[in-house]
PDB file of all heavy atoms in Angstrom:
ATOM      1  N   ASP A 588     -36.436   2.163  -8.581  1.00 97.00           N
ATOM      2  CA  ASP A 588     -37.329   1.232  -7.833  1.00 97.00           C
ATOM      3  C   ASP A 588     -36.524   0.414  -6.868  1.00 97.00           C
ATOM      4  O   ASP A 588     -36.968   0.217  -5.733  1.00 97.00           O
ATOM      5  CB  ASP A 588     -38.048   0.313  -8.835  1.00 97.00           C
ATOM      6  CG  ASP A 588     -39.133   1.100  -9.704  1.00 97.00           C
ATOM      7  OD1 ASP A 588     -39.432   2.222  -9.323  1.00 97.00           O
ATOM      8  OD2 ASP A 588     -39.555   0.534 -10.678  1.00 97.00           O
ATOM      9  N   ALA A 589     -35.322  -0.053  -7.271  1.00 98.00           N
ATOM     10  CA  ALA A 589     -34.535  -0.896  -6.348  1.00 98.00           C
ATOM     11  C   ALA A 589     -34.035  -0.038  -5.181  1.00 98.00           C
ATOM     12  O   ALA A 589     -34.017  -0.520  -4.020  1.00 98.00           O
ATOM     13  CB  ALA A 589     -33.371  -1.452  -7.138  1.00 98.00           C
ATOM     14  N   TRP A 590     -33.646   1.175  -5.463  1.00 98.00           N
ATOM     15  CA  TRP A 590     -33.204   2.082  -4.339  1.00 98.00           C
ATOM     16  C   TRP A 590     -34.296   2.365  -3.350  1.00 98.00           C
ATOM     17  O   TRP A 590     -34.116   2.257  -2.152  1.00 98.00           O
ATOM     18  CB  TRP A 590     -32.595   3.371  -4.944  1.00 98.00           C
ATOM     19  CG  TRP A 590     -31.856   4.288  -3.943  1.00 98.00           C
ATOM     20  CD1 TRP A 590     -30.556   4.235  -3.722  1.00 98.00           C
ATOM     21  CD2 TRP A 590     -32.413   5.287  -3.123  1.00 98.00           C
ATOM     22  NE1 TRP A 590     -30.193   5.204  -2.785  1.00 98.00           N
ATOM     23  CE2 TRP A 590     -31.334   5.854  -2.398  1.00 98.00           C
ATOM     24  CE3 TRP A 590     -33.671   5.771  -2.915  1.00 98.00           C
ATOM     25  CZ2 TRP A 590     -31.495   6.899  -1.469  1.00 98.00           C
ATOM     26  CZ3 TRP A 590     -33.861   6.757  -1.988  1.00 98.00           C
ATOM     27  CH2 TRP A 590     -32.783   7.320  -1.310  1.00 98.00           C
ATOM     28  N   LYS A 591     -35.453   2.678  -3.861  1.00 97.00           N
ATOM     29  CA  LYS A 591     -36.577   3.018  -2.996  1.00 97.00           C
ATOM     30  C   LYS A 591     -37.121   1.820  -2.227  1.00 97.00           C
ATOM     31  O   LYS A 591     -37.821   2.018  -1.214  1.00 97.00           O
ATOM     32  CB  LYS A 591     -37.712   3.648  -3.822  1.00 97.00           C
ATOM     33  CG  LYS A 591     -37.312   5.072  -4.278  1.00 97.00           C
ATOM     34  CD  LYS A 591     -38.506   5.868  -4.805  1.00 97.00           C
ATOM     35  CE  LYS A 591     -38.932   5.400  -6.142  1.00 97.00           C
ATOM     36  NZ  LYS A 591     -40.085   6.268  -6.659  1.00 97.00           N
ATOM     37  N   ALA A 592     -36.794   0.591  -2.680  1.00 97.00           N
ATOM     38  CA  ALA A 592     -37.199  -0.600  -1.960  1.00 97.00           C
ATOM     39  C   ALA A 592     -36.305  -0.865  -0.772  1.00 97.00           C
ATOM     40  O   ALA A 592     -36.743  -1.707   0.143  1.00 97.00           O
ATOM     41  CB  ALA A 592     -37.179  -1.842  -2.899  1.00 97.00           C
ATOM     42  N   LEU A 593     -35.242  -0.168  -0.591  1.00 97.00           N
ATOM     43  CA  LEU A 593     -34.333  -0.288   0.527  1.00 97.00           C
ATOM     44  C   LEU A 593     -34.846   0.594   1.683  1.00 97.00           C
ATOM     45  O   LEU A 593     -35.620   1.476   1.497  1.00 97.00           O
ATOM     46  CB  LEU A 593     -32.934   0.095   0.197  1.00 97.00           C
ATOM     47  CG  LEU A 593     -32.267  -0.700  -0.963  1.00 97.00           C
ATOM     48  CD1 LEU A 593     -30.910  -0.110  -1.283  1.00 97.00           C
ATOM     49  CD2 LEU A 593     -32.155  -2.188  -0.650  1.00 97.00           C
ATOM     50  N   PRO A 594     -34.354   0.352   2.872  1.00 97.00           N
ATOM     51  CA  PRO A 594     -34.561   1.333   3.985  1.00 97.00           C
ATOM     52  C   PRO A 594     -33.799   2.567   3.643  1.00 97.00           C
ATOM     53  O   PRO A 594     -32.625   2.574   3.592  1.00 97.00           O
ATOM     54  CB  PRO A 594     -33.993   0.638   5.218  1.00 97.00           C
ATOM     55  CG  PRO A 594     -33.709  -0.792   4.858  1.00 97.00           C
ATOM     56  CD  PRO A 594     -33.554  -0.818   3.349  1.00 97.00           C
ATOM     57  N   THR A 595     -34.512   3.665   3.414  1.00 97.00           N
ATOM     58  CA  THR A 595     -33.903   4.893   3.015  1.00 97.00           C
ATOM     59  C   THR A 595     -34.360   6.057   3.904  1.00 97.00           C
ATOM     60  O   THR A 595     -35.198   5.926   4.782  1.00 97.00           O
ATOM     61  CB  THR A 595     -34.193   5.293   1.537  1.00 97.00           C
ATOM     62  OG1 THR A 595     -35.589   5.622   1.449  1.00 97.00           O
ATOM     63  CG2 THR A 595     -33.952   4.067   0.592  1.00 97.00           C
ATOM     64  N   ILE A 596     -33.876   7.247   3.563  1.00 96.00           N
ATOM     65  CA  ILE A 596     -34.257   8.432   4.290  1.00 96.00           C
ATOM     66  C   ILE A 596     -35.601   9.006   3.821  1.00 96.00           C
ATOM     67  O   ILE A 596     -36.117   9.959   4.420  1.00 96.00           O
ATOM     68  CB  ILE A 596     -33.214   9.575   4.169  1.00 96.00           C
ATOM     69  CG1 ILE A 596     -33.066   9.985   2.709  1.00 96.00           C
ATOM     70  CG2 ILE A 596     -31.888   9.136   4.691  1.00 96.00           C
ATOM     71  CD1 ILE A 596     -32.214  11.313   2.523  1.00 96.00           C
ATOM     72  N   LEU A 597     -36.290   8.384   2.842  1.00 97.00           N
ATOM     73  CA  LEU A 597     -37.546   8.945   2.370  1.00 97.00           C
ATOM     74  C   LEU A 597     -38.533   8.885   3.526  1.00 97.00           C
ATOM     75  O   LEU A 597     -38.671   7.911   4.198  1.00 97.00           O
ATOM     76  CB  LEU A 597     -37.998   8.096   1.159  1.00 97.00           C
ATOM     77  CG  LEU A 597     -37.189   8.133  -0.100  1.00 97.00           C
ATOM     78  CD1 LEU A 597     -37.838   7.319  -1.219  1.00 97.00           C
ATOM     79  CD2 LEU A 597     -36.920   9.560  -0.505  1.00 97.00           C
ATOM     80  N   GLY A 598     -39.248  10.000   3.674  1.00 96.00           N
ATOM     81  CA  GLY A 598     -40.194  10.138   4.763  1.00 96.00           C
ATOM     82  C   GLY A 598     -39.617  10.766   6.029  1.00 96.00           C
ATOM     83  O   GLY A 598     -40.364  11.020   6.981  1.00 96.00           O
ATOM     84  N   GLN A 599     -38.326  11.035   6.050  1.00 95.00           N
ATOM     85  CA  GLN A 599     -37.686  11.513   7.222  1.00 95.00           C
ATOM     86  C   GLN A 599     -37.284  12.963   7.058  1.00 95.00           C
ATOM     87  O   GLN A 599     -36.970  13.422   5.980  1.00 95.00           O
ATOM     88  CB  GLN A 599     -36.419  10.685   7.587  1.00 95.00           C
ATOM     89  CG  GLN A 599     -36.701   9.256   7.821  1.00 95.00           C
ATOM     90  CD  GLN A 599     -35.577   8.532   8.637  1.00 95.00           C
ATOM     91  OE1 GLN A 599     -34.967   9.198   9.486  1.00 95.00           O
ATOM     92  NE2 GLN A 599     -35.326   7.339   8.368  1.00 95.00           N
ATOM     93  N   PRO A 600     -37.279  13.732   8.209  1.00 96.00           N
ATOM     94  CA  PRO A 600     -36.861  15.132   8.121  1.00 96.00           C
ATOM     95  C   PRO A 600     -35.329  15.212   7.899  1.00 96.00           C
ATOM     96  O   PRO A 600     -34.533  14.421   8.448  1.00 96.00           O
ATOM     97  CB  PRO A 600     -37.178  15.685   9.511  1.00 96.00           C
ATOM     98  CG  PRO A 600     -37.285  14.498  10.407  1.00 96.00           C
ATOM     99  CD  PRO A 600     -37.772  13.354   9.494  1.00 96.00           C
ATOM    100  N   VAL A 601     -34.932  16.113   6.997  1.00 96.00           N
ATOM    101  CA  VAL A 601     -33.514  16.231   6.661  1.00 96.00           C
ATOM    102  C   VAL A 601     -33.107  17.689   6.569  1.00 96.00           C
ATOM    103  O   VAL A 601     -33.914  18.565   6.461  1.00 96.00           O
ATOM    104  CB  VAL A 601     -33.248  15.560   5.285  1.00 96.00           C
ATOM    105  CG1 VAL A 601     -33.533  14.034   5.274  1.00 96.00           C
ATOM    106  CG2 VAL A 601     -33.993  16.295   4.163  1.00 96.00           C
ATOM    107  N   THR A 602     -31.766  17.930   6.689  1.00 95.00           N
ATOM    108  CA  THR A 602     -31.198  19.183   6.309  1.00 95.00           C
ATOM    109  C   THR A 602     -30.443  18.997   5.027  1.00 95.00           C
ATOM    110  O   THR A 602     -29.777  17.949   4.822  1.00 95.00           O
ATOM    111  CB  THR A 602     -30.263  19.739   7.427  1.00 95.00           C
ATOM    112  OG1 THR A 602     -29.199  18.816   7.635  1.00 95.00           O
ATOM    113  CG2 THR A 602     -31.018  19.939   8.743  1.00 95.00           C
ATOM    114  N   VAL A 603     -30.475  20.038   4.190  1.00 94.00           N
ATOM    115  CA  VAL A 603     -29.728  20.034   2.932  1.00 94.00           C
ATOM    116  C   VAL A 603     -28.738  21.177   2.927  1.00 94.00           C
ATOM    117  O   VAL A 603     -29.099  22.337   3.097  1.00 94.00           O
ATOM    118  CB  VAL A 603     -30.670  20.130   1.710  1.00 94.00           C
ATOM    119  CG1 VAL A 603     -29.901  20.057   0.394  1.00 94.00           C
ATOM    120  CG2 VAL A 603     -31.773  19.071   1.764  1.00 94.00           C
ATOM    121  N   GLU A 604     -27.469  20.808   2.752  1.00 93.00           N
ATOM    122  CA  GLU A 604     -26.431  21.809   2.757  1.00 93.00           C
ATOM    123  C   GLU A 604     -25.720  21.855   1.413  1.00 93.00           C
ATOM    124  O   GLU A 604     -25.282  20.877   0.902  1.00 93.00           O
ATOM    125  CB  GLU A 604     -25.439  21.504   3.849  1.00 93.00           C
ATOM    126  CG  GLU A 604     -24.275  22.533   3.934  1.00 93.00           C
ATOM    127  CD  GLU A 604     -23.360  22.229   5.104  1.00 93.00           C
ATOM    128  OE1 GLU A 604     -23.578  21.351   5.887  1.00 93.00           O
ATOM    129  OE2 GLU A 604     -22.254  22.962   5.159  1.00 93.00           O
ATOM    130  N   SER A 605     -25.752  23.074   0.835  1.00 85.00           N
ATOM    131  CA  SER A 605     -25.018  23.320  -0.433  1.00 85.00           C
ATOM    132  C   SER A 605     -24.007  24.410  -0.164  1.00 85.00           C
ATOM    133  O   SER A 605     -23.987  25.019   0.945  1.00 85.00           O
ATOM    134  CB  SER A 605     -26.035  23.774  -1.528  1.00 85.00           C
ATOM    135  OG  SER A 605     -26.567  25.072  -1.179  1.00 85.00           O
ATOM    136  N   PRO A 606     -23.159  24.719  -1.108  1.00 81.00           N
ATOM    137  CA  PRO A 606     -22.134  25.795  -0.885  1.00 81.00           C
ATOM    138  C   PRO A 606     -22.765  27.102  -0.517  1.00 81.00           C
ATOM    139  O   PRO A 606     -22.036  27.991   0.051  1.00 81.00           O
ATOM    140  CB  PRO A 606     -21.366  25.795  -2.214  1.00 81.00           C
ATOM    141  CG  PRO A 606     -21.543  24.477  -2.815  1.00 81.00           C
ATOM    142  CD  PRO A 606     -22.945  24.074  -2.419  1.00 81.00           C
ATOM    143  N   TRP A 607     -23.989  27.351  -0.854  1.00 86.00           N
ATOM    144  CA  TRP A 607     -24.575  28.719  -0.656  1.00 86.00           C
ATOM    145  C   TRP A 607     -25.735  28.735   0.348  1.00 86.00           C
ATOM    146  O   TRP A 607     -26.124  29.877   0.673  1.00 86.00           O
ATOM    147  CB  TRP A 607     -25.024  29.281  -2.054  1.00 86.00           C
ATOM    148  CG  TRP A 607     -25.952  28.336  -2.779  1.00 86.00           C
ATOM    149  CD1 TRP A 607     -27.282  28.248  -2.684  1.00 86.00           C
ATOM    150  CD2 TRP A 607     -25.507  27.390  -3.737  1.00 86.00           C
ATOM    151  NE1 TRP A 607     -27.747  27.292  -3.539  1.00 86.00           N
ATOM    152  CE2 TRP A 607     -26.694  26.713  -4.204  1.00 86.00           C
ATOM    153  CE3 TRP A 607     -24.282  26.979  -4.246  1.00 86.00           C
ATOM    154  CZ2 TRP A 607     -26.625  25.708  -5.183  1.00 86.00           C
ATOM    155  CZ3 TRP A 607     -24.255  25.963  -5.174  1.00 86.00           C
ATOM    156  CH2 TRP A 607     -25.400  25.336  -5.637  1.00 86.00           C
ATOM    157  N   GLU A 608     -26.273  27.616   0.785  1.00 91.00           N
ATOM    158  CA  GLU A 608     -27.380  27.662   1.781  1.00 91.00           C
ATOM    159  C   GLU A 608     -27.537  26.384   2.467  1.00 91.00           C
ATOM    160  O   GLU A 608     -27.074  25.289   2.079  1.00 91.00           O
ATOM    161  CB  GLU A 608     -28.700  28.060   1.064  1.00 91.00           C
ATOM    162  CG  GLU A 608     -29.112  26.995   0.036  1.00 91.00           C
ATOM    163  CD  GLU A 608     -30.469  27.320  -0.552  1.00 91.00           C
ATOM    164  OE1 GLU A 608     -31.272  28.053   0.075  1.00 91.00           O
ATOM    165  OE2 GLU A 608     -30.745  26.820  -1.645  1.00 91.00           O
ATOM    166  N   ILE A 609     -28.238  26.503   3.652  1.00 92.00           N
ATOM    167  CA  ILE A 609     -28.646  25.272   4.407  1.00 92.00           C
ATOM    168  C   ILE A 609     -30.171  25.436   4.661  1.00 92.00           C
ATOM    169  O   ILE A 609     -30.648  26.497   5.068  1.00 92.00           O
ATOM    170  CB  ILE A 609     -27.916  25.185   5.727  1.00 92.00           C
ATOM    171  CG1 ILE A 609     -26.397  25.089   5.523  1.00 92.00           C
ATOM    172  CG2 ILE A 609     -28.416  23.992   6.529  1.00 92.00           C
ATOM    173  CD1 ILE A 609     -25.558  25.151   6.791  1.00 92.00           C
ATOM    174  N   TRP A 610     -30.900  24.359   4.382  1.00 93.00           N
ATOM    175  CA  TRP A 610     -32.334  24.421   4.567  1.00 93.00           C
ATOM    176  C   TRP A 610     -32.861  23.072   5.005  1.00 93.00           C
ATOM    177  O   TRP A 610     -32.147  22.064   4.971  1.00 93.00           O
ATOM    178  CB  TRP A 610     -33.060  24.910   3.348  1.00 93.00           C
ATOM    179  CG  TRP A 610     -32.672  24.151   2.081  1.00 93.00           C
ATOM    180  CD1 TRP A 610     -31.582  24.340   1.332  1.00 93.00           C
ATOM    181  CD2 TRP A 610     -33.417  23.128   1.415  1.00 93.00           C
ATOM    182  NE1 TRP A 610     -31.581  23.513   0.222  1.00 93.00           N
ATOM    183  CE2 TRP A 610     -32.708  22.734   0.271  1.00 93.00           C
ATOM    184  CE3 TRP A 610     -34.646  22.474   1.667  1.00 93.00           C
ATOM    185  CZ2 TRP A 610     -33.191  21.751  -0.623  1.00 93.00           C
ATOM    186  CZ3 TRP A 610     -35.109  21.543   0.827  1.00 93.00           C
ATOM    187  CH2 TRP A 610     -34.343  21.100  -0.325  1.00 93.00           C
TER     188      TRP A 610
END
Side-chain angles (χ1 to χ4, degrees):
D588 289 345
W590 191 91
K591 290 194 286 186
L593 302 175
T595 71
I596 64 170
L597 296 184
Q599 299 202 34
V601 297
T602 60
V603 182
E604 181 176 353
S605 69
W607 52 89
E608 65 175 335
I609 300 175
W610 51 280

